Amino acid sequence: MQALRTALAQINPTVGDLTANSELIVDWTSRAAQEGAQVVVFPEMALTGYPVEDLALRPEFAHASRDALRDLADALDRAGCGDVVAVVGYLDRDAVGSRNSAAVLFRGDVVSRYDKHALPTYRVFDELRYFAPGTRLSITEVNDVRLGIVVCEDIWKPGGPVPAYAAAGVDVLLCLNASPFERGKAEVRLSVVQRRAAEAGVPVVYANLVGGQDELVFDGGSMVVAADGAILGRAPAFTEHLLCVDLDVSDARRPDGGPPPGWSIDRNTVPDLLVRGWDRLPRSVAEPSDDLASTWAALVTGLRDYVHKNGFASVALGLSGGIDSAVVAAIAVDALGAESVYGVAMPSQYSSDHSLADANDLASRTGLHFGIESIVDMVRSVTDQLGLSGVAEENVQARCRGIVLMALSNSAGHLILATGNKSELAVGYSTIYGDAVGGFAPIKDVPKSMVWELARWRNDAAVGRGEVPPIPEASIDKPPSAELRPDQLDTDSLPEYDRLDAILFRYVDCDQGEDDIVAAGFDPVDVADIVAKVDAAEHKRRQYPIGTKVTSKAFGRDRRMPITDGRRRV
Amino acid sequence: MQALRTALAQINPTVGDLTANSELIVDWTSRAAQEGAQVVVFPEMALTGYPVEDLALRPEFAHASRDALRDLADALDRAGCGDVVAVVGYLDRDAVGSRNSAAVLFRGDVVSRYDKHALPTYRVFDELRYFAPGTRLSITEVNDVRLGIVVCEDIWKPGGPVPAYAAAGVDVLLCLNASPFERGKAEVRLSVVQRRAAEAGVPVVYANLVGGQDELVFDGGSMVVAADGAILGRAPAFTEHLLCVDLDVSDARRPDGGPPPGWSIDRNTVPDLLVRGWDRLPRSVAEPSDDLASTWAALVTGLRDYVHKNGFASVALGLSGGIDSAVVAAIAVDALGAESVYGVAMPSQYSSDHSLADANDLASRTGLHFGIESIVDMVRSVTDQLGLSGVAEENVQARCRGIVLMALSNSAGHLILATGNKSELAVGYSTIYGDAVGGFAPIKDVPKSMVWELARWRNDAAVGRGEVPPIPEASIDKPPSAELRPDQLDTDSLPEYDRLDAILFRYVDCDQGEDDIVAAGFDPVDVADIVAKVDAAEHKRRQYPIGTKVTSKAFGRDRRMPITDGRRRV
């Protein structure tokens, strides 16, 4: 048996920041060296961050990435960890086009390169817009162990480089990933890795990114899976982590094969590496979190990284006393600490007493900064001058609140958080330039019924830790209202949220047609009404702030609908 | 010589409206029949409109498109034009996926189908997200003339179906297109068609869409080009048109060939069609417009179709007295008529006297509805209560104007037009939720220096027709100012617009890096400052309304940059 100590560096780079990302890679390679690893595997495009979007098409950025890779090889050597074989994802560019690439760095050199073959172009991915596919395998031999490299989508479908590597003869597959979070995806990912490990007959080392990038959050959960499906190691989710796994590789080495049709092979052998006297590592297999815990962690991570990576020191939001703003505030406090969160209640003439009381309660539970700014006079100034009533008057209230929040942002530099949820965004139940104001919308992909679940889950978690539950029970229990006119309730114009969310899930997330939804037992009038509302609200969604994707289909890059859409009768 | 009368139906369908689009196709096929055409060619995806974006992924929509195609074949027959061979673009779907397809309809039947082979996935196009590529040629013989079908991108690069058709033996290539306008593209398109016609050795019948769909405008300019490059017919741009061309086809028919490797052939022959006694048609070759005229027409078309296809009866905009709002107003009046355009001047304490006078002058020249709504009291109400000054106070002015416009929209149903230009949008020189308010932004892709050119061009055109020039000379001549503080000028914080636009063109449209731009002779401090401003304004652009693309790279679906972008130091 030959054993190889492999480190998976689950890091959180920043898109575009080649300098900081290089430093991160040197730092984590040093840690891997200290752990006695012979190989360290970084995620997909760790050097550039992921997704770089149209930066991939800018020649100067691709060249900067190539240059940064060469500099990185040197820097690793200078930092004394050049003897660790480092496998690093980066952006390359050649005569054919840009490439989503991985490089093998060793003793100051780029020993080998692999270009991603399978380029996902669906849902949130646009890789055929950016990259030319590779057709060359990269096999690097370390201490008689042949390492093959694949990148993310390469393992999601049968065929492609995995069977090609199996035919060529490898002992371990290293898979570099930038696989974003969505609910239920961790399980799917594991089964995909298990399937490919079985097909290739070798262990798969799966290193995933962690952290937020605009609407995507990468959850990590890096792992090593044996050919028989056993989990040899797994990193915790939503945190940077170095996972070290001792890989046993059979002595009965299968012979090297030639490249299968359509593939060429880049073969390299690095000099035998010292195996520093080591005790075998115990297996480290982090348990996955449940649905609500991981969704909460994704929301916290997405907000925290958006704030920090964009250089904000603080956030501000309107506190209505309702469930949405309470949950967003709790996420913000978990992400940034109460001292960085500013809540402001902005009562109008229609605000109920409990609104202010509940907002105040939230502030005392969480410790966030709390202020009150009445909009009564501003609204009167506008509506009197313009002679407004009805919806126009309702919207002026929301828009005056928007002005107050943006003035706070302009004065104090806060990032403003919009507090709308996915159900509202779906049916257009928000005021554009009013409550839709903000740079980030933490729960825009959370259906309203799940907002309640998350609130209860978060409070229970606090109780379990002996802490004060952050969200006032009153905010959870009271019937939702926009409070833009007397005695208004959401259910005046919408079905109950459970029913609404069930229909929205089918129409939006599952792309079901009206007929299919009705056939599943929903009321045809409800369905027609909701479908019409969703279609008509596309123009509002286009101007809504971005927010963290957690469901299988988020509004934004994940669902790209025309605004002008003749399916709706105008 | 065999002659075939071919009609190109340059129509303006609406995305998603299968019923209206079917009626349009029946109507134009009837016209083609009246003109004695044996063949009528419609644009790419004429039945569904283009681009349908994620509608292509909704099974119920793809099935509705298939059903509509069958119904259309019947409807053509019932309308008495079933004997015209109609070639219609539509959305299909099979076990492999959705298809960007063309069908040959004849006497109530779908005689043949072709699936687009080359799927553009760059710039504004995402076709590999949506469609599976076809590998089957469609050859239909009409009166001994073999017609091959290709779709748009199929002819843009060498290889693909064009040489395959040439090998299989065809006499004419029918090319269905949805090729959007951009400055200078008509010339490029012509040379592409000429190149393919020469390579295939047969005439190419190029039918293009016309009309606006969200940020795209299709300019038409349908044409027939002979193998020797001669233009046998060309439709005018930016208008629906039926172009009829009598095609001579050599008697020396080359033999049918087999399908080249990787292709199969669907061969069909329709019964010999009566050639109704006809005189040979004279050549009809519309002259192309110059750059400014065609850009103006694109802007007018884009706005008109957005308004009409989304069911608005009128538009409203703020009139500052400046050049941007004057040009947008003139576009709106050309698109919709003065009776559908509402302008409102919203003076603040910093507005100069000439602002109101120039806005008033614009209103009298164009005849649009004009109102004045002072924001002085509203602004004071907000700034006094919140104790604002500086940028925060400046932004309150812009945001109060946004509130006034949105109140107008809520009360009267106007679509609000944002008046920002591409230069401002590039450097973030606008107030989000303030002057950025609107459902459509007609000149968002027009650089400021071109706004002036268009204004002068439009006024000269009026003079040439003996009409009153719509745009006040004072609005053209005065130095631009946001008038948010006393004596403010744009040049206080920006370089002169000519220099700014030259740098922006290189950085944004051409993807040049900072070093390249400096190497081209621009001041390094200017370049660094502008590049930093462009990168920092991405979050504002994301929430900006859509508007018509006219340049080679528009903000929006054409340029997809991350907001979180570590290239800028935060």
Coordinates of all heavy atoms in Angstrom, one line a residue, chain A residues 15 17 53-55 58 123 129 213-214 306 310 373-374 385-386 395 399 406 410 433 438 507 511-512 542-543 560 563-564 566 568-569, chain B residues 15 17 53-54 58 123 129 213-214 306 310 373-374 385-386 395 399 406 410 433 438 507 511-512 542-543 560 563-564 566-569:
Chain A
V15 N -13.7 37.3 -5.9 CA -13.6 37.5 -7.4 C -12.8 38.7 -7.8 O -13.0 39.8 -7.3 CB -15.0 37.6 -8.0 CG1 -15.0 38.2 -9.4 CG2 -15.7 36.2 -8.1
D17 N -9.7 39.6 -7.1 CA -8.6 40.1 -6.3 C -7.5 39.1 -6.3 O -7.3 38.3 -5.4 CB -9.1 40.4 -4.9 CG -8.2 41.2 -4.1 OD1 -7.0 41.3 -4.5 OD2 -8.6 41.8 -3.0
E53 N -17.7 36.0 -14.3 CA -18.6 36.5 -15.4 C -17.8 37.1 -16.5 O -16.8 36.5 -16.9 CB -19.6 37.5 -14.7 CG -20.4 36.9 -13.6 CD -21.5 37.7 -13.1 OE1 -22.3 38.2 -13.9 OE2 -21.6 37.9 -11.9
D54 N -18.2 38.3 -17.0 CA -17.5 38.8 -18.2 C -16.0 39.2 -18.0 O -15.4 39.5 -19.0 CB -18.3 40.0 -18.8 CG -19.5 39.5 -19.7 OD1 -19.8 38.3 -19.6 OD2 -20.0 40.3 -20.4
L55 N -15.6 39.2 -16.8 CA -14.1 39.4 -16.6 C -13.3 38.3 -17.4 O -12.2 38.5 -17.8 CB -13.7 39.3 -15.1 CG -14.1 40.4 -14.2 CD1 -13.7 40.1 -12.8 CD2 -13.4 41.7 -14.7
R58 N -12.2 39.5 -20.7 CA -11.3 40.7 -20.8 C -9.8 40.1 -20.9 O -9.3 39.6 -19.9 CB -11.4 41.6 -19.6 CG -12.8 42.3 -19.4 CD -12.8 43.3 -18.3 NE -12.0 44.5 -18.7 CZ -12.4 45.5 -19.4 NH1 -13.7 45.6 -19.8 NH2 -11.6 46.5 -19.7
R123 N -29.2 27.2 -15.8 CA -29.4 27.8 -14.5 C -28.5 29.1 -14.3 O -28.6 30.0 -15.1 CB -29.2 26.8 -13.4 CG -30.2 25.6 -13.4 CD -31.6 26.1 -13.1 NE -32.6 25.1 -13.2 CZ -32.9 24.3 -12.1 NH1 -32.4 24.5 -10.9 NH2 -33.9 23.4 -12.3
R129 N -20.4 30.6 -22.7 CA -20.2 32.0 -23.1 C -18.7 32.4 -22.9 O -18.2 33.3 -23.6 CB -21.1 32.9 -22.2 CG -20.9 34.4 -22.3 CD -21.8 35.2 -21.4 NE -21.7 36.6 -21.4 CZ -22.3 37.5 -22.2 NH1 -23.1 37.0 -23.1 NH2 -22.0 38.8 -22.1
Q213 N -20.6 35.2 -3.3 CA -20.2 36.1 -4.4 C -21.5 36.5 -5.1 O -22.2 35.8 -5.8 CB -19.3 35.3 -5.5 CG -19.1 36.0 -6.8 CD -18.4 37.4 -6.7 OE1 -17.7 37.6 -5.7 NE2 -18.7 38.3 -7.6
D214 N -21.9 37.8 -4.8 CA -23.1 38.3 -5.3 C -24.3 37.4 -4.9 O -24.5 37.2 -3.7 CB -23.1 38.6 -6.8 CG -22.2 39.8 -7.1 OD1 -21.8 40.5 -6.1 OD2 -21.9 40.1 -8.3
Y306 N -21.0 39.7 1.0 CA -21.3 40.8 0.2 C -20.9 42.1 0.9 O -20.3 43.0 0.2 CB -22.8 40.9 -0.2 CG -23.1 41.9 -1.2 CD1 -22.9 41.7 -2.5 CD2 -23.5 43.2 -0.8 CE1 -23.1 42.7 -3.5 CE2 -23.7 44.2 -1.7 CZ -23.5 44.0 -3.1 OH -23.7 44.9 -4.0
N310 N -17.4 44.0 -0.4 CA -17.7 45.3 -1.1 C -17.3 46.5 -0.2 O -17.6 47.7 -0.5 CB -19.1 45.4 -1.5 CG -19.4 44.6 -2.8 OD1 -19.0 45.0 -3.9 ND2 -20.0 43.4 -2.6
E373 N -37.9 57.2 12.9 CA -38.0 58.4 12.0 C -39.4 58.4 11.5 O -39.7 57.6 10.6 CB -36.9 58.3 10.9 CG -36.6 59.6 10.2 CD -35.9 60.6 11.2 OE1 -34.8 60.3 11.6 OE2 -36.5 61.7 11.5
S374 N -40.2 59.3 11.9 CA -41.6 59.3 11.4 C -41.6 59.8 10.0 O -40.9 60.8 9.6 CB -42.5 60.3 12.3 OG -43.7 60.6 11.6
Q385 N -49.4 68.2 -1.8 CA -49.0 68.9 -3.0 C -49.5 68.3 -4.3 O -50.0 68.9 -5.2 CB -47.5 69.1 -3.1 CG -47.1 69.8 -4.3 CD -45.6 70.2 -4.4 OE1 -44.9 70.2 -3.3 NE2 -45.1 70.4 -5.6
L386 N -49.4 66.9 -4.3 CA -49.8 66.2 -5.6 C -51.3 65.8 -5.6 O -51.8 65.3 -6.6 CB -48.9 65.0 -5.8 CG -47.4 65.3 -5.9 CD1 -46.6 64.0 -6.0 CD2 -47.1 66.3 -7.0
N395 N -48.0 54.2 -2.1 CA -46.7 54.0 -2.6 C -45.8 55.2 -2.1 O -44.6 55.0 -1.9 CB -46.6 54.0 -4.1 CG -47.0 52.6 -4.6 OD1 -47.0 51.6 -3.9 ND2 -47.5 52.6 -5.9
R399 N -42.1 55.0 -0.5 CA -41.0 55.7 -1.2 C -40.4 56.7 -0.2 O -39.2 57.0 -0.3 CB -41.5 56.3 -2.5 CG -41.8 55.3 -3.5 CD -42.0 55.7 -4.9 NE -42.2 54.6 -5.7 CZ -43.3 54.3 -6.4 NH1 -44.3 55.1 -6.4 NH2 -43.5 53.1 -7.1
M406 N -32.0 55.7 2.2 CA -30.9 56.1 1.3 C -30.2 57.4 1.9 O -29.0 57.5 1.7 CB -31.5 56.4 -0.1 CG -31.9 55.1 -0.8 SD -30.7 53.8 -0.8 CE -29.4 54.5 -1.8
N410 N -26.3 57.5 2.5 CA -25.5 58.6 2.0 C -24.7 59.2 3.1 O -23.5 59.6 3.0 CB -26.3 59.6 1.3 CG -26.8 59.2 -0.1 OD1 -27.8 59.6 -0.6 ND2 -26.0 58.3 -0.8
Y433 N -38.7 51.3 -5.8 CA -38.1 52.6 -5.2 C -38.7 52.9 -3.8 O -38.4 54.0 -3.3 CB -38.3 53.8 -6.1 CG -38.2 53.5 -7.6 CD1 -39.2 53.8 -8.5 CD2 -37.1 52.8 -8.1 CE1 -39.1 53.4 -9.9 CE2 -37.0 52.5 -9.4 CZ -38.0 52.8 -10.3 OH -37.9 52.5 -11.6
G438 N -32.5 49.2 -1.8 CA -31.4 48.5 -1.1 C -30.3 48.0 -2.0 O -30.5 47.9 -3.2
Y507 N -45.0 26.9 -10.3 CA -44.9 27.8 -11.5 C -43.5 28.3 -11.7 O -43.0 28.3 -12.9 CB -45.9 29.0 -11.4 CG -45.9 29.8 -12.6 CD1 -46.4 29.2 -13.8 CD2 -45.5 31.1 -12.7 CE1 -46.4 30.0 -15.0 CE2 -45.5 31.9 -13.8 CZ -46.0 31.3 -15.0 OH -46.0 32.0 -16.1
D511 N -41.2 25.2 -13.3 CA -41.6 25.6 -14.7 C -42.9 24.8 -15.1 O -43.0 24.5 -16.3 CB -40.5 25.2 -15.7 CG -39.4 26.2 -15.7 OD1 -39.7 27.4 -15.4 OD2 -38.2 25.9 -16.0
Q512 N -43.8 24.6 -14.2 CA -45.0 23.9 -14.6 C -46.0 24.9 -15.2 O -46.0 26.1 -14.8 CB -45.7 23.3 -13.4 CG -45.0 22.0 -12.9 CD -45.8 21.3 -11.7 OE1 -46.9 21.7 -11.4 NE2 -45.1 20.4 -11.1
R542 N -36.6 43.1 -12.1 CA -35.3 43.4 -12.8 C -34.6 44.5 -12.1 O -33.4 44.7 -12.2 CB -35.6 43.9 -14.2 CG -36.0 42.9 -15.2 CD -34.8 42.0 -15.5 NE -35.3 41.1 -16.5 CZ -35.2 41.3 -17.8 NH1 -34.5 42.3 -18.3 NH2 -35.7 40.4 -18.7
Q543 N -35.4 45.4 -11.4 CA -34.7 46.5 -10.7 C -34.5 46.2 -9.2 O -34.1 47.1 -8.5 CB -35.5 47.8 -10.9 CG -35.5 48.2 -12.4 CD -36.1 49.6 -12.6 OE1 -36.0 50.5 -11.9 NE2 -36.8 49.8 -13.7
R560 N -34.4 33.8 -16.3 CA -34.2 35.0 -17.2 C -35.4 35.1 -18.1 O -35.5 34.5 -19.2 CB -33.0 34.8 -18.0 CG -31.8 34.5 -17.1 CD -30.5 34.3 -17.9 NE -29.4 33.8 -17.0 CZ -28.2 33.4 -17.4 NH1 -27.9 33.5 -18.7 NH2 -27.4 32.9 -16.5
I563 N -39.3 40.8 -20.1 CA -40.3 41.7 -19.6 C -41.5 41.8 -20.5 O -42.7 41.6 -20.1 CB -39.8 43.1 -19.3 CG1 -38.6 43.1 -18.3 CG2 -40.9 44.1 -18.8 CD1 -37.9 44.4 -18.0
T564 N -41.2 42.1 -21.8 CA -42.3 42.2 -22.8 C -42.6 40.7 -23.1 O -41.8 40.0 -23.7 CB -41.7 42.9 -24.1 OG1 -41.3 44.2 -23.7 CG2 -42.8 42.9 -25.1
G566 N -45.9 38.5 -24.4 CA -47.3 38.5 -24.9 C -48.2 37.4 -24.3 O -49.3 37.4 -24.7
R568 N -49.0 37.3 -21.3 CA -50.0 38.0 -20.5 C -50.7 39.0 -21.4 O -50.1 39.7 -22.3 CB -49.3 38.7 -19.3 CG -48.4 39.9 -19.7 CD -47.6 40.3 -18.4 NE -46.4 40.9 -18.9 CZ -46.2 42.3 -19.1 NH1 -47.3 43.1 -18.9 NH2 -45.1 42.7 -19.5
R569 N -52.0 39.1 -21.2 CA -52.8 40.1 -22.0 C -52.6 41.4 -21.4 O -52.8 41.7 -20.3 CB -54.3 39.7 -21.9 CG -54.6 38.3 -22.5 CD -54.6 38.4 -24.0 NE -53.6 37.5 -24.6 CZ -53.2 37.5 -25.9 NH1 -53.6 38.5 -26.7 NH2 -52.4 36.7 -26.3
Chain B
V15 N -43.0 38.7 -28.5 CA -42.6 37.5 -27.8 C -43.7 37.0 -27.0 O -44.4 37.7 -26.2 CB -41.4 37.8 -26.9 CG1 -41.2 36.8 -25.8 CG2 -40.1 37.9 -27.7
D17 N -46.7 35.9 -27.7 CA -48.1 36.1 -28.1 C -48.4 35.2 -29.3 O -48.5 35.7 -30.5 CB -48.4 37.5 -28.4 CG -50.0 37.8 -28.4 OD1 -50.7 36.8 -28.6 OD2 -50.4 38.9 -28.3
E53 N -36.1 34.0 -24.3 CA -35.3 33.7 -23.1 C -35.8 32.5 -22.4 O -36.0 31.4 -23.1 CB -35.4 35.0 -22.2 CG -34.9 36.2 -22.9 CD -34.8 37.4 -22.0 OE1 -34.1 37.3 -20.9 OE2 -35.3 38.5 -22.3
D54 N -36.0 32.5 -21.1 CA -36.3 31.2 -20.4 C -37.7 30.6 -20.7 O -38.0 29.5 -20.3 CB -36.2 31.4 -18.8 CG -34.7 31.3 -18.4 OD1 -33.8 31.3 -19.3 OD2 -34.5 31.1 -17.2
R58 N -39.6 26.3 -20.7 CA -40.9 26.0 -20.1 C -41.6 25.0 -21.1 O -42.0 25.4 -22.2 CB -41.8 27.2 -19.9 CG -41.2 28.2 -18.9 CD -42.2 29.3 -18.5 NE -43.3 28.7 -17.7 CZ -43.3 28.5 -16.4 NH1 -42.3 28.9 -15.7 NH2 -44.4 28.0 -15.8
R123 N -22.2 37.8 -26.2 CA -22.9 39.1 -26.2 C -24.3 38.9 -25.7 O -24.5 38.5 -24.6 CB -22.9 39.7 -27.7 CG -21.5 40.0 -28.2 CD -20.8 41.1 -27.4 NE -19.5 41.5 -27.9 CZ -19.2 42.4 -28.8 NH1 -20.2 43.0 -29.4 NH2 -18.0 42.6 -29.1
R129 N -27.8 27.8 -23.8 CA -28.6 27.7 -22.6 C -30.0 27.0 -22.9 O -30.5 26.3 -22.1 CB -28.8 29.0 -22.0 CG -29.8 29.1 -20.7 CD -29.9 30.5 -20.2 NE -30.8 30.6 -19.1 CZ -30.5 30.5 -17.8 NH1 -29.3 30.1 -17.4 NH2 -31.4 30.6 -16.9
Q213 N -37.8 44.3 -28.8 CA -38.1 43.4 -27.7 C -37.2 43.7 -26.5 O -36.0 43.4 -26.6 CB -37.9 41.9 -28.2 CG -38.0 40.9 -27.1 CD -39.3 40.8 -26.3 OE1 -40.3 41.2 -26.9 NE2 -39.3 40.3 -25.1
D214 N -37.8 44.3 -25.5 CA -37.0 44.7 -24.3 C -35.7 45.5 -24.8 O -35.9 46.6 -25.5 CB -36.6 43.5 -23.5 CG -37.8 43.0 -22.7 OD1 -38.9 43.7 -22.8 OD2 -37.8 41.9 -22.1
Y306 N -41.7 48.8 -26.9 CA -41.8 48.5 -25.5 C -43.1 49.1 -24.9 O -43.8 48.4 -24.2 CB -40.6 49.1 -24.7 CG -40.6 48.6 -23.3 CD1 -40.1 47.4 -22.9 CD2 -41.2 49.4 -22.3 CE1 -40.1 46.9 -21.6 CE2 -41.3 48.9 -21.0 CZ -40.7 47.7 -20.7 OH -40.8 47.2 -19.4
N310 N -46.3 46.4 -24.1 CA -46.5 46.2 -22.7 C -47.8 47.0 -22.3 O -48.1 47.1 -21.1 CB -45.4 46.7 -21.9 CG -44.2 45.7 -21.9 OD1 -44.3 44.7 -21.2 ND2 -43.2 46.0 -22.7
E373 N -44.0 71.0 -11.5 CA -44.2 70.6 -10.1 C -43.0 70.9 -9.3 O -42.0 70.2 -9.5 CB -44.5 69.1 -10.1 CG -45.2 68.6 -8.9 CD -46.7 69.1 -8.8 OE1 -47.5 68.7 -9.6 OE2 -46.9 69.8 -7.8
S374 N -43.1 71.9 -8.5 CA -41.9 72.3 -7.7 C -41.6 71.2 -6.6 O -42.5 70.7 -6.0 CB -42.1 73.6 -7.0 OG -41.2 73.8 -6.0
Q385 N -36.1 67.6 8.4 CA -36.4 66.6 9.4 C -35.1 65.7 9.6 O -34.8 65.4 10.7 CB -37.6 65.7 9.0 CG -37.8 64.5 10.0 CD -39.0 63.7 9.7 OE1 -40.0 64.2 9.0 NE2 -39.1 62.5 10.2
L386 N -34.4 65.4 8.5 CA -33.3 64.5 8.6 C -32.0 65.2 8.9 O -30.9 64.6 9.1 CB -33.2 63.6 7.4 CG -34.4 62.7 7.1 CD1 -34.2 61.9 5.8 CD2 -34.7 61.7 8.3
N395 N -29.0 64.1 -3.3 CA -29.8 63.0 -3.7 C -31.3 63.1 -3.4 O -32.1 62.5 -4.1 CB -29.2 61.7 -3.1 CG -27.9 61.3 -3.8 OD1 -27.7 61.6 -5.0 ND2 -27.1 60.5 -3.1
R399 N -34.4 62.2 -5.7 CA -35.4 61.2 -5.2 C -36.8 61.8 -5.1 O -37.8 61.1 -5.3 CB -34.9 60.5 -4.0 CG -33.6 59.7 -4.2 CD -33.3 58.7 -3.2 NE -32.1 58.0 -3.6 CZ -30.9 58.1 -3.1 NH1 -30.6 58.8 -2.1 NH2 -29.9 57.4 -3.7
M406 N -43.3 58.8 -10.2 CA -43.9 57.6 -9.9 C -45.4 57.8 -9.5 O -46.3 57.0 -9.7 CB -43.2 56.8 -8.9 CG -41.8 56.2 -9.4 SD -41.9 55.3 -10.9 CE -42.9 53.9 -10.4
N410 N -48.5 56.1 -11.1 CA -49.5 55.4 -10.4 C -50.9 56.0 -10.7 O -51.9 55.3 -10.7 CB -49.3 55.5 -8.9 CG -48.1 54.6 -8.4 OD1 -47.4 54.9 -7.5 ND2 -47.9 53.5 -9.1
Y433 N -32.8 55.4 -7.6 CA -34.1 55.8 -7.1 C -34.4 57.2 -7.2 O -35.4 57.7 -6.7 CB -34.3 55.3 -5.6 CG -33.7 54.0 -5.2 CD1 -32.7 53.9 -4.2 CD2 -33.9 52.9 -6.0 CE1 -32.1 52.8 -3.9 CE2 -33.3 51.7 -5.7 CZ -32.4 51.6 -4.7 OH -31.7 50.4 -4.4
G438 N -37.7 54.7 -13.5 CA -38.4 54.5 -14.8 C -38.5 53.1 -15.2 O -37.8 52.2 -14.7
Y507 N -12.6 51.0 -22.8 CA -12.7 50.2 -21.6 C -14.0 49.3 -21.7 O -13.9 48.1 -21.4 CB -12.8 51.0 -20.3 CG -12.7 50.2 -19.1 CD1 -11.6 49.4 -18.8 CD2 -13.7 50.2 -18.2 CE1 -11.5 48.7 -17.7 CE2 -13.7 49.4 -17.0 CZ -12.6 48.6 -16.8 OH -12.5 47.9 -15.7
D511 N -13.3 46.2 -24.3 CA -12.6 45.4 -23.3 C -11.1 45.6 -23.2 O -10.4 44.7 -22.9 CB -12.9 43.9 -23.6 CG -14.3 43.5 -23.2 OD1 -14.9 44.1 -22.2 OD2 -14.8 42.5 -23.8
Q512 N -10.7 46.9 -23.5 CA -9.3 47.1 -23.3 C -8.9 47.4 -21.8 O -9.7 47.9 -21.1 CB -8.9 48.4 -24.1 CG -8.9 48.2 -25.6 CD -8.4 49.4 -26.4 OE1 -7.9 50.3 -25.8 NE2 -8.6 49.4 -27.7
R542 N -27.2 47.6 -12.3 CA -28.1 46.5 -12.1 C -29.5 46.8 -11.8 O -30.4 46.1 -12.2 CB -27.6 45.6 -11.0 CG -26.4 44.8 -11.3 CD -26.6 43.7 -12.3 NE -25.3 43.1 -12.4 CZ -25.0 42.0 -11.7 NH1 -25.9 41.4 -10.9 NH2 -23.8 41.4 -11.8
Q543 N -29.7 48.0 -11.2 CA -31.1 48.4 -10.8 C -31.6 49.4 -11.8 O -32.7 49.9 -11.6 CB -31.1 48.9 -9.4 CG -30.8 47.8 -8.4 CD -31.1 48.1 -6.9 OE1 -32.0 48.8 -6.6 NE2 -30.2 47.7 -6.0
R560 N -21.9 41.5 -18.7 CA -22.4 40.9 -17.4 C -21.2 40.8 -16.4 O -20.4 39.9 -16.4 CB -22.9 39.5 -17.7 CG -23.9 39.4 -18.8 CD -24.4 38.1 -19.1 NE -25.2 38.1 -20.3 CZ -25.8 37.0 -20.9 NH1 -25.5 35.8 -20.4 NH2 -26.5 37.1 -22.0
I563 N -20.9 42.4 -9.4 CA -20.9 43.6 -8.5 C -19.7 43.5 -7.6 O -18.8 44.4 -7.5 CB -22.2 43.7 -7.8 CG1 -23.4 43.8 -8.7 CG2 -22.1 44.9 -6.8 CD1 -24.7 43.9 -8.0
T564 N -19.6 42.4 -6.9 CA -18.4 42.1 -6.0 C -17.2 41.8 -6.9 O -17.2 40.8 -7.6 CB -18.7 40.9 -5.1 OG1 -19.9 41.2 -4.3 CG2 -17.5 40.7 -4.2
G566 N -13.1 42.3 -6.8 CA -11.9 42.7 -6.0 C -10.9 43.4 -6.9 O -9.8 43.8 -6.3
R567 N -11.1 43.6 -8.2 CA -10.1 44.4 -8.9 C -10.2 45.8 -8.4 O -9.2 46.5 -8.4 CB -10.5 44.4 -10.4 CG -10.3 43.1 -11.1 CD -10.7 43.2 -12.6 NE -12.0 43.9 -12.6 CZ -12.5 44.7 -13.6 NH1 -11.7 44.9 -14.6 NH2 -13.7 45.2 -13.5
R568 N -11.3 46.3 -8.0 CA -11.3 47.6 -7.4 C -11.0 47.5 -5.9 O -11.5 46.6 -5.2 CB -12.7 48.3 -7.6 CG -13.8 47.7 -6.9 CD -15.2 48.4 -7.3 NE -16.3 47.4 -7.1 CZ -17.0 47.4 -6.0 NH1 -16.8 48.2 -5.0 NH2 -18.0 46.5 -5.8
R569 N -10.3 48.4 -5.4 CA -9.9 48.3 -4.0 C -11.0 48.9 -3.2 O -11.5 50.0 -3.5 CB -8.6 49.2 -3.8 CG -7.4 48.7 -4.5 CD -6.9 47.5 -3.7 NE -6.8 46.3 -4.6 CZ -6.6 45.1 -4.1 NH1 -6.4 44.9 -2.8 NH2 -6.6 44.1 -4.9

